[in-house]
Amino acid sequence: MTQPHGYPPSHAEWHEAMMNGLQVDVPVDQQRLQSKLRGNTFGFAATLVVAAACSVLLVWIIFTEFGRTFTYVLLGILIGLLLLMALYIRRIRSRLAAARANPTYISVSREGLRIAGSVWVPWSDSVGVLAGDLRNVYVPARQRIAQALHELVGSSQAMLVVGLIEERPRSLRSESAPKLKRLFEVISDTGGLRVPLSAVLSEDDTVMALVAVPAAARAAGLEAIWSADKAEIGTATMSLFMSRPISAQMTILSAFEEGLQEAQDEQFIDRLAEAVLNEEGRRVLADARERFGDNADDGQLLLDAGAHPSPETIGWCDAGGEDDPGQVFASVIRACENLGLPAPHLHDGIEAQSTDPVGRLLQQADAGLHQVGLRLLMLDPDSDMYHFAPVTAEQHEKLVGTEAGGLGLRSVAEMVGGPDTL
Protein backbone atom coordinates (compact mmCIF):
# COMPACT_ATOMS: atom_id res chain seq x y z
CA MET A 1 0.00 0.00 0.00
CA THR A 2 1.25 3.48 -0.85
CA GLN A 3 0.61 6.37 1.51
CA PRO A 4 -1.41 9.14 -0.22
CA HIS A 5 0.15 12.58 -0.46
CA GLY A 6 -0.43 15.20 2.20
CA TYR A 7 0.98 16.07 5.60
CA PRO A 8 2.03 12.81 7.26
CA PRO A 9 0.75 11.57 10.62
CA SER A 10 2.73 11.53 13.85
CA HIS A 11 5.91 9.51 14.37
CA ALA A 12 4.03 7.02 16.54
CA GLU A 13 1.41 6.46 13.82
CA TRP A 14 4.11 6.05 11.18
CA HIS A 15 5.97 3.56 13.38
CA GLU A 16 2.81 1.48 13.72
CA ALA A 17 2.11 1.75 9.99
CA MET A 18 5.61 0.54 9.13
CA MET A 19 5.28 -2.37 11.54
CA ASN A 20 2.08 -3.29 9.66
CA GLY A 21 3.92 -3.44 6.34
CA LEU A 22 3.11 -0.03 4.84
CA GLN A 23 5.35 1.09 1.97
CA VAL A 24 5.72 4.80 1.16
CA ASP A 25 6.73 5.97 -2.31
CA VAL A 26 7.83 9.59 -2.68
CA PRO A 27 7.91 10.96 -6.26
CA VAL A 28 10.30 13.53 -7.69
CA ASP A 29 8.87 17.02 -8.16
CA GLN A 30 10.00 17.40 -11.78
CA GLN A 31 9.22 21.11 -11.97
CA ARG A 32 11.24 21.90 -8.84
CA LEU A 33 14.10 19.68 -9.97
CA GLN A 34 14.32 21.38 -13.37
CA SER A 35 14.27 24.79 -11.68
CA LYS A 36 17.15 23.81 -9.40
CA LEU A 37 19.14 22.38 -12.30
CA ARG A 38 18.70 25.63 -14.25
CA GLY A 39 19.82 27.63 -11.23
CA ASN A 40 22.79 25.32 -10.81
CA THR A 41 23.78 25.74 -14.46
CA PHE A 42 23.54 29.51 -14.17
CA GLY A 43 25.58 29.56 -10.94
CA PHE A 44 28.25 27.28 -12.40
CA ALA A 45 28.56 29.33 -15.61
CA ALA A 46 28.59 32.66 -13.75
CA THR A 47 31.32 31.44 -11.41
CA LEU A 48 33.51 30.30 -14.32
CA VAL A 49 32.93 33.60 -16.18
CA VAL A 50 34.00 35.63 -13.13
CA ALA A 51 37.02 33.34 -12.61
CA ALA A 52 38.01 33.77 -16.28
CA ALA A 53 37.62 37.55 -16.04
CA CYS A 54 39.79 37.65 -12.93
CA SER A 55 42.40 35.49 -14.70
CA VAL A 56 42.53 37.88 -17.67
CA LEU A 57 42.82 40.82 -15.29
CA LEU A 58 45.65 39.10 -13.42
CA VAL A 59 47.58 38.44 -16.64
CA TRP A 60 47.04 42.04 -17.78
CA ILE A 61 48.27 43.67 -14.56
CA ILE A 62 51.29 41.35 -14.46
CA PHE A 63 52.37 42.25 -18.00
CA THR A 64 51.66 45.96 -17.56
CA GLU A 65 53.15 45.98 -14.04
CA PHE A 66 50.09 47.97 -13.06
CA GLY A 67 49.70 46.38 -9.64
CA ARG A 68 51.92 45.18 -6.84
CA THR A 69 52.71 41.73 -5.48
CA PHE A 70 49.95 42.05 -2.89
CA THR A 71 47.42 42.67 -5.69
CA TYR A 72 48.62 39.59 -7.59
CA VAL A 73 48.30 37.42 -4.51
CA LEU A 74 44.78 38.65 -3.73
CA LEU A 75 43.60 38.04 -7.29
CA GLY A 76 45.22 34.58 -7.29
CA ILE A 77 43.42 33.67 -4.05
CA LEU A 78 40.12 34.96 -5.47
CA ILE A 79 40.53 32.86 -8.62
CA GLY A 80 41.31 29.79 -6.54
CA LEU A 81 38.21 30.33 -4.39
CA LEU A 82 36.02 30.79 -7.47
CA LEU A 83 37.30 27.52 -8.95
CA LEU A 84 36.61 25.70 -5.68
CA MET A 85 33.12 27.21 -5.68
CA ALA A 86 32.59 25.95 -9.22
CA LEU A 87 33.60 22.43 -8.15
CA TYR A 88 31.20 22.66 -5.18
CA ILE A 89 28.34 23.74 -7.46
CA ARG A 90 29.17 20.88 -9.82
CA ARG A 91 29.08 18.43 -6.92
CA ILE A 92 25.60 19.67 -5.97
CA ARG A 93 24.50 19.13 -9.57
CA SER A 94 25.72 15.54 -9.50
CA ARG A 95 23.56 14.93 -6.42
CA LEU A 96 20.56 16.55 -8.08
CA ALA A 97 21.12 14.33 -11.12
CA ALA A 98 20.41 11.29 -8.95
CA ALA A 99 16.77 12.36 -8.81
CA ARG A 100 16.53 12.08 -12.62
CA ALA A 101 17.21 8.34 -12.54
CA ASN A 102 13.65 7.36 -11.62
CA PRO A 103 10.28 9.11 -11.16
CA THR A 104 10.05 7.56 -7.67
CA TYR A 105 12.80 9.14 -5.62
CA ILE A 106 12.33 7.27 -2.33
CA SER A 107 10.58 4.01 -1.45
CA VAL A 108 10.66 3.10 2.23
CA SER A 109 9.27 0.24 4.30
CA ARG A 110 10.22 -1.66 7.41
CA GLU A 111 12.48 -3.84 5.23
CA GLY A 112 14.63 -1.00 3.93
CA LEU A 113 15.10 2.06 1.78
CA ARG A 114 15.34 2.34 -1.99
CA ILE A 115 16.71 5.48 -3.65
CA ALA A 116 15.87 6.43 -7.26
CA GLY A 117 14.68 2.90 -8.03
CA SER A 118 18.26 1.60 -7.87
CA VAL A 119 20.09 1.87 -4.57
CA TRP A 120 18.63 -0.65 -2.14
CA VAL A 121 19.61 -0.35 1.54
CA PRO A 122 18.13 -3.03 3.79
CA TRP A 123 17.92 -1.80 7.36
CA SER A 124 20.23 -4.65 8.37
CA ASP A 125 23.00 -2.77 6.49
CA SER A 126 22.37 0.50 8.34
CA VAL A 127 23.49 1.86 11.71
CA GLY A 128 20.91 4.65 11.87
CA VAL A 129 19.17 7.54 10.14
CA LEU A 130 19.24 11.32 10.54
CA ALA A 131 16.49 13.54 9.16
CA GLY A 132 17.91 17.07 9.07
CA ASP A 133 15.63 20.03 8.37
CA LEU A 134 17.05 23.57 8.35
CA ARG A 135 14.33 25.14 6.19
CA ASN A 136 12.81 27.17 9.02
CA VAL A 137 16.00 27.92 10.94
CA TYR A 138 16.68 31.65 11.46
CA VAL A 139 19.47 32.96 9.21
CA PRO A 140 21.29 36.16 10.33
CA ALA A 141 21.03 39.08 7.91
CA ARG A 142 24.74 38.93 7.06
CA GLN A 143 24.37 35.31 5.88
CA ARG A 144 21.17 35.63 3.87
CA ILE A 145 22.81 36.41 0.52
CA ALA A 146 25.06 33.37 0.82
CA GLN A 147 22.04 31.29 1.86
CA ALA A 148 20.06 32.48 -1.17
CA LEU A 149 22.96 31.58 -3.49
CA HIS A 150 23.19 28.11 -1.92
CA GLU A 151 19.52 27.52 -2.59
CA LEU A 152 19.79 28.96 -6.12
CA VAL A 153 22.38 26.35 -7.14
CA GLY A 154 20.31 23.51 -5.64
CA SER A 155 21.62 22.99 -2.12
CA SER A 156 19.04 21.17 0.03
CA GLN A 157 18.02 22.57 3.39
CA ALA A 158 16.34 19.26 4.25
CA MET A 159 18.06 15.93 3.75
CA LEU A 160 18.43 12.38 4.97
CA VAL A 161 21.68 10.87 6.19
CA VAL A 162 21.79 7.07 6.29
CA GLY A 163 24.75 5.48 8.06
CA LEU A 164 25.98 2.11 6.77
CA ILE A 165 27.76 -0.70 8.59
CA GLU A 166 31.49 -1.08 7.99
CA GLU A 167 32.61 -2.60 4.68
CA ARG A 168 29.23 -1.87 3.05
CA PRO A 169 29.53 1.76 1.78
CA ARG A 170 32.24 1.11 -0.81
CA SER A 171 30.64 -2.04 -2.23
CA LEU A 172 27.18 -0.47 -2.33
CA ARG A 173 28.53 2.55 -4.17
CA SER A 174 30.32 0.39 -6.73
CA GLU A 175 27.06 -1.50 -7.38
CA SER A 176 25.10 1.72 -7.99
CA ALA A 177 24.35 3.47 -11.26
CA PRO A 178 26.86 6.23 -12.16
CA LYS A 179 24.33 9.00 -11.50
CA LEU A 180 23.81 7.76 -7.94
CA LYS A 181 27.42 7.38 -6.83
CA ARG A 182 27.59 11.01 -5.65
CA LEU A 183 25.00 10.26 -2.96
CA PHE A 184 27.62 8.23 -1.09
CA GLU A 185 30.17 9.50 1.38
CA VAL A 186 32.89 6.89 1.88
CA ILE A 187 35.68 7.18 4.44
CA SER A 188 37.95 4.14 4.21
CA ASP A 189 35.60 1.25 5.07
CA THR A 190 32.89 3.43 6.63
CA GLY A 191 30.38 5.93 5.31
CA GLY A 192 26.80 6.34 4.24
CA LEU A 193 24.26 8.10 2.03
CA ARG A 194 23.50 11.82 1.93
CA VAL A 195 20.09 12.16 0.26
CA PRO A 196 18.89 15.71 -0.63
CA LEU A 197 15.16 16.26 -0.19
CA SER A 198 13.92 19.85 -0.37
CA ALA A 199 15.67 20.56 -3.71
CA VAL A 200 13.93 17.68 -5.52
CA LEU A 201 10.66 17.09 -3.63
CA SER A 202 7.54 19.15 -3.09
CA GLU A 203 7.00 20.70 0.34
CA ASP A 204 4.50 18.00 1.36
CA ASP A 205 6.66 15.15 0.10
CA THR A 206 9.73 16.60 1.85
CA VAL A 207 7.86 16.49 5.16
CA MET A 208 6.65 12.96 4.36
CA ALA A 209 10.18 11.71 3.70
CA LEU A 210 11.53 13.44 6.83
CA VAL A 211 8.99 11.57 8.97
CA ALA A 212 8.49 8.26 7.16
CA VAL A 213 12.13 7.24 6.74
CA PRO A 214 13.13 7.68 10.41
CA ALA A 215 9.87 5.96 11.45
CA ALA A 216 10.67 2.96 9.22
CA ALA A 217 14.21 2.78 10.62
CA ARG A 218 12.90 2.83 14.19
CA ALA A 219 10.33 0.16 13.33
CA ALA A 220 13.28 -1.97 12.22
CA GLY A 221 15.01 -1.40 15.57
CA LEU A 222 17.50 1.26 14.45
CA GLU A 223 18.31 4.60 16.00
CA ALA A 224 16.80 7.50 14.03
CA ILE A 225 16.47 11.18 14.91
CA TRP A 226 14.99 14.34 13.42
CA SER A 227 16.85 17.59 14.04
CA ALA A 228 16.77 21.27 13.08
CA ASP A 229 19.97 22.10 14.99
CA LYS A 230 23.11 22.60 12.87
CA ALA A 231 25.50 21.42 15.57
CA GLU A 232 23.46 18.30 16.30
CA ILE A 233 23.12 17.54 12.59
CA GLY A 234 26.88 17.87 12.15
CA THR A 235 27.63 15.56 15.07
CA ALA A 236 25.06 12.95 14.03
CA THR A 237 26.29 13.02 10.40
CA MET A 238 29.89 12.51 11.49
CA SER A 239 28.81 9.57 13.65
CA LEU A 240 26.80 7.89 10.89
CA PHE A 241 29.58 8.34 8.32
CA MET A 242 31.94 6.61 10.77
CA SER A 243 29.44 3.71 10.92
CA ARG A 244 28.63 4.44 14.55
CA PRO A 245 25.21 4.82 16.20
CA ILE A 246 24.34 8.48 16.73
CA SER A 247 24.04 8.11 20.51
CA ALA A 248 27.60 6.75 20.73
CA GLN A 249 29.03 9.87 19.11
CA MET A 250 26.77 12.12 21.18
CA THR A 251 28.07 10.42 24.33
CA ILE A 252 31.68 10.85 23.22
CA LEU A 253 31.09 14.50 22.34
CA SER A 254 29.25 15.14 25.60
CA ALA A 255 32.10 13.63 27.61
CA PHE A 256 34.62 15.70 25.65
CA GLU A 257 32.67 18.91 26.16
CA GLU A 258 32.26 18.15 29.86
CA GLY A 259 35.99 17.53 30.23
CA LEU A 260 36.79 20.69 28.30
CA GLN A 261 34.41 22.72 30.48
CA GLU A 262 35.99 21.31 33.64
CA ALA A 263 39.45 22.27 32.37
CA GLN A 264 38.24 25.78 31.48
CA ASP A 265 36.61 26.16 34.91
CA GLU A 266 39.82 25.10 36.63
CA GLN A 267 41.86 27.62 34.61
CA PHE A 268 39.29 30.31 35.43
CA ILE A 269 39.53 29.59 39.15
CA ASP A 270 43.34 29.62 38.97
CA ARG A 271 43.28 33.09 37.37
CA LEU A 272 40.77 34.32 39.92
CA ALA A 273 42.81 32.88 42.79
CA GLU A 274 45.79 34.98 41.68
CA ALA A 275 43.67 38.09 42.20
CA VAL A 276 41.68 37.34 45.38
CA LEU A 277 43.84 34.91 47.39
CA ASN A 278 47.26 35.35 48.94
CA GLU A 279 49.89 32.62 49.03
CA GLU A 280 48.39 30.98 52.12
CA GLY A 281 44.91 31.08 50.58
CA ARG A 282 46.15 29.39 47.40
CA ARG A 283 47.75 26.66 49.52
CA VAL A 284 44.43 26.14 51.33
CA LEU A 285 42.65 25.97 47.95
CA ALA A 286 45.11 23.39 46.61
CA ASP A 287 44.64 21.22 49.71
CA ALA A 288 40.83 21.50 49.40
CA ARG A 289 40.94 20.53 45.73
CA GLU A 290 42.99 17.46 46.56
CA ARG A 291 40.59 16.40 49.32
CA PHE A 292 37.20 17.42 47.90
CA GLY A 293 37.81 18.18 44.21
CA ASP A 294 35.53 15.44 42.89
CA ASN A 295 32.66 16.35 45.19
CA ALA A 296 32.63 20.16 45.22
CA ASP A 297 32.59 23.08 42.81
CA ASP A 298 35.91 24.85 42.35
CA GLY A 299 34.14 28.15 42.94
CA GLN A 300 32.87 27.12 46.36
CA LEU A 301 36.31 25.80 47.33
CA LEU A 302 37.81 29.17 46.39
CA LEU A 303 35.23 31.05 48.48
CA ASP A 304 35.96 28.80 51.46
CA ALA A 305 39.71 29.28 51.05
CA GLY A 306 39.40 33.07 50.83
CA ALA A 307 37.13 33.28 53.87
CA HIS A 308 39.41 31.03 55.96
CA PRO A 309 40.27 32.84 59.22
CA SER A 310 44.00 32.63 58.62
CA PRO A 311 44.37 34.02 55.08
CA GLU A 312 41.05 35.91 54.98
CA THR A 313 40.93 37.80 51.69
CA ILE A 314 37.30 37.28 50.71
CA GLY A 315 34.66 38.95 52.85
CA TRP A 316 31.08 37.79 53.21
CA CYS A 317 27.84 39.12 54.57
CA ASP A 318 24.22 38.02 54.64
CA ALA A 319 22.09 40.01 52.21
CA GLY A 320 19.68 40.79 55.03
CA GLY A 321 22.25 42.69 57.14
CA GLU A 322 25.54 42.52 59.04
CA ASP A 323 25.91 39.80 61.68
CA ASP A 324 28.37 42.01 63.61
CA PRO A 325 28.69 45.80 63.64
CA GLY A 326 31.14 46.98 60.95
CA GLN A 327 31.41 43.50 59.40
CA VAL A 328 31.66 44.69 55.77
CA PHE A 329 34.24 47.44 56.30
CA ALA A 330 36.36 45.32 58.63
CA SER A 331 36.41 42.45 56.10
CA VAL A 332 37.52 44.78 53.31
CA ILE A 333 40.35 46.26 55.40
CA ARG A 334 41.60 42.82 56.54
CA ALA A 335 41.48 41.54 52.97
CA CYS A 336 43.58 44.47 51.75
CA GLU A 337 46.15 43.86 54.48
CA ASN A 338 46.33 40.12 53.74
CA LEU A 339 46.69 40.74 50.00
CA GLY A 340 49.34 43.42 50.46
CA LEU A 341 47.12 46.11 48.97
CA PRO A 342 46.74 49.69 50.24
CA ALA A 343 43.93 49.79 52.79
CA PRO A 344 41.15 52.32 52.07
CA HIS A 345 40.04 54.92 54.57
CA LEU A 346 36.55 53.97 55.64
CA HIS A 347 34.57 56.03 58.14
CA ASP A 348 35.50 55.86 61.81
CA GLY A 349 32.24 54.20 62.87
CA ILE A 350 33.49 50.77 61.88
CA GLU A 351 32.95 49.41 65.39
CA ALA A 352 29.52 50.98 65.75
CA GLN A 353 26.29 49.27 64.80
CA SER A 354 25.55 50.32 61.22
CA THR A 355 22.01 51.22 60.28
CA ASP A 356 22.79 51.24 56.53
CA PRO A 357 21.63 48.29 54.41
CA VAL A 358 24.36 45.96 53.15
CA GLY A 359 24.05 47.26 49.61
CA ARG A 360 24.83 50.78 50.76
CA LEU A 361 27.83 49.56 52.78
CA LEU A 362 29.22 47.74 49.74
CA GLN A 363 28.85 50.92 47.66
CA GLN A 364 30.74 52.90 50.31
CA ALA A 365 33.49 50.27 50.47
CA ASP A 366 33.82 50.30 46.68
CA ALA A 367 34.07 54.10 46.67
CA GLY A 368 36.72 54.00 49.41
CA LEU A 369 38.76 51.41 47.48
CA HIS A 370 38.52 53.54 44.36
CA GLN A 371 40.38 56.33 46.18
CA VAL A 372 43.45 54.04 46.48
CA GLY A 373 43.28 52.54 42.95
CA LEU A 374 41.25 49.46 43.87
CA ARG A 375 37.71 48.18 43.31
CA LEU A 376 35.43 45.76 45.13
CA LEU A 377 34.81 42.58 43.13
CA MET A 378 31.61 40.66 43.87
CA LEU A 379 31.88 36.87 43.67
CA ASP A 380 28.36 35.63 43.05
CA PRO A 381 27.61 31.93 43.68
CA ASP A 382 23.89 32.65 43.19
CA SER A 383 23.03 32.55 46.89
CA ASP A 384 21.55 34.89 49.48
CA MET A 385 25.06 35.80 50.67
CA TYR A 386 27.31 38.55 49.39
CA HIS A 387 30.96 37.55 48.80
CA PHE A 388 33.45 40.24 47.92
CA ALA A 389 37.18 40.91 47.59
CA PRO A 390 39.34 43.98 46.85
CA VAL A 391 41.24 43.83 43.54
CA THR A 392 43.12 46.33 41.42
CA ALA A 393 41.06 48.44 39.02
CA GLU A 394 42.73 46.63 36.08
CA GLN A 395 41.84 43.20 37.46
CA HIS A 396 38.30 44.38 38.14
CA GLU A 397 37.84 45.45 34.52
CA LYS A 398 39.12 42.10 33.20
CA LEU A 399 37.18 39.89 35.60
CA VAL A 400 33.75 41.51 35.77
CA GLY A 401 31.28 39.78 33.49
CA THR A 402 33.04 36.40 33.39
CA GLU A 403 31.49 33.24 34.74
CA ALA A 404 32.68 29.68 35.40
CA GLY A 405 33.29 27.23 38.19
CA GLY A 406 29.89 28.02 39.68
CA LEU A 407 30.76 31.71 40.15
CA GLY A 408 29.71 34.85 38.36
CA LEU A 409 31.96 37.87 38.78
CA ARG A 410 30.03 41.12 39.12
CA SER A 411 30.59 44.75 39.97
CA VAL A 412 28.96 46.24 43.06
CA ALA A 413 26.63 48.19 40.75
CA GLU A 414 25.44 44.97 39.13
CA MET A 415 24.74 43.34 42.48
CA VAL A 416 23.21 46.16 44.51
CA GLY A 417 22.75 49.07 42.11
CA GLY A 418 24.50 52.40 41.88
CA PRO A 419 26.92 53.73 39.21
CA ASP A 420 29.00 51.29 37.17
CA THR A 421 32.04 53.56 37.29
CA LEU A 422 33.36 55.72 40.09
Side-chain angles (χ1 to χ4, degrees), residues 161-347:
V161 177
V162 182
L164 299 172
I165 61 175
E166 289 190 34
E167 309 294 341
R168 196 69 180 107
R170 196 176 295 277
S171 61
L172 192 58
R173 182 178 63 177
S174 65
E175 297 165 6
S176 301
K179 286 184 178 180
L180 303 179
K181 292 186 185 297
R182 282 294 189 182
L183 296 179
F184 289 87
E185 302 280 352
V186 180
I187 308 168
S188 185
D189 294 326
T190 66
L193 283 160
R194 191 192 297 269
V195 185
L197 298 179
S198 56
V200 299
L201 302 179
S202 68
E203 290 296 324
D204 285 348
D205 285 338
T206 295
V207 175
M208 184 179 292
L210 286 170
V211 177
V213 175
R218 281 195 295 273
L222 293 178
E223 185 178 24
I225 68 168
W226 174 91
S227 179
D229 181 87
K230 285 185 178 181
E232 186 176 52
I233 288 173
T235 301
T237 299
M238 178 175 64
S239 178
L240 292 173
F241 286 166
M242 294 174 67
S243 299
R244 294 177 181 170
I246 298 170
S247 58
Q249 189 68 21
M250 292 293 189
T251 301
I252 292 171
L253 185 65
S254 177
F256 173 77
E257 289 178 342
E258 184 178 341
L260 181 64
Q261 186 61 52
E262 288 178 357
Q264 290 175 339
D265 285 357
E266 187 171 338
Q267 293 173 0
F268 172 88
I269 294 298
D270 286 339
R271 291 196 304 271
L272 181 58
E274 290 294 326
V276 300
L277 299 180
N278 58 14
E279 185 176 350
E280 176 63 15
R282 291 192 289 273
R283 185 192 64 76
V284 172
L285 175 60
D287 289 345
R289 276 175 163 174
E290 187 173 345
R291 295 175 60 191
F292 310 112
D294 293 335
N295 301 307
D297 290 334
D298 260 7
Q300 188 58 54
L301 295 180
L302 180 137
L303 292 179
D304 292 343
H308 193 278
S310 174
E312 183 183 350
T313 57
I314 298 177
W316 60 270
C317 185
D318 191 284
E322 294 182 308
D323 291 345
D324 301 308
Q327 179 182 354
V328 171
F329 291 165
S331 295
V332 170
I333 292 173
R334 281 197 301 272
C336 287
E337 292 171 349
N338 290 332
L339 287 168
L341 299 173
H345 175 73
L346 301 175
H347 69 69

Side-chain angles (χ1 to χ4, degrees), residues 126-186:
S126 176
V127 294
V129 170
L130 162 70
D133 187 4
L134 299 175
R135 291 174 301 163
N136 297 317
V137 173
Y138 172 76
V139 179
R142 65 181 181 278
Q143 298 177 13
R144 288 174 189 167
I145 294 178
Q147 180 71 20
L149 292 174
H150 270 87
E151 293 186 20
L152 172 67
V153 300
S155 178
S156 262
Q157 296 304 298
M159 67 172 54
L160 295 172
V161 177
V162 182
L164 299 172
I165 61 175
E166 289 190 34
E167 309 294 341
R168 196 69 180 107
R170 196 176 295 277
S171 61
L172 192 58
R173 182 178 63 177
S174 65
E175 297 165 6
S176 301
K179 286 184 178 180
L180 303 179
K181 292 186 185 297
R182 282 294 189 182
L183 296 179
F184 289 87
E185 302 280 352
V186 180

Side-chain angles (χ1 to χ4, degrees), residues 55 74-75 107 118 135 261 305 382:
S55 299
L74 283 181
L75 270 175
S107 294
S118 176
R135 291 174 301 163
Q261 186 61 52
D382 193 21

Side-chain angles (χ1 to χ4, degrees), residues 315-387:
W316 60 270
C317 185
D318 191 284
E322 294 182 308
D323 291 345
D324 301 308
Q327 179 182 354
V328 171
F329 291 165
S331 295
V332 170
I333 292 173
R334 281 197 301 272
C336 287
E337 292 171 349
N338 290 332
L339 287 168
L341 299 173
H345 175 73
L346 301 175
H347 69 69
D348 297 331
I350 198 169
E351 298 299 333
Q353 176 66 51
S354 173
T355 58
D356 286 341
V358 175
R360 177 61 180 161
L361 297 175
L362 292 171
Q363 291 172 348
Q364 292 176 10
D366 191 30
L369 287 168
H370 178 66
Q371 298 301 316
V372 293
L374 307 175
R375 294 297 301 274
L376 194 62
L377 179 68
M378 306 299 296
L379 297 88
D380 179 20
D382 193 21
S383 71
D384 57 357
M385 302 283 292
Y386 288 127
H387 297 82

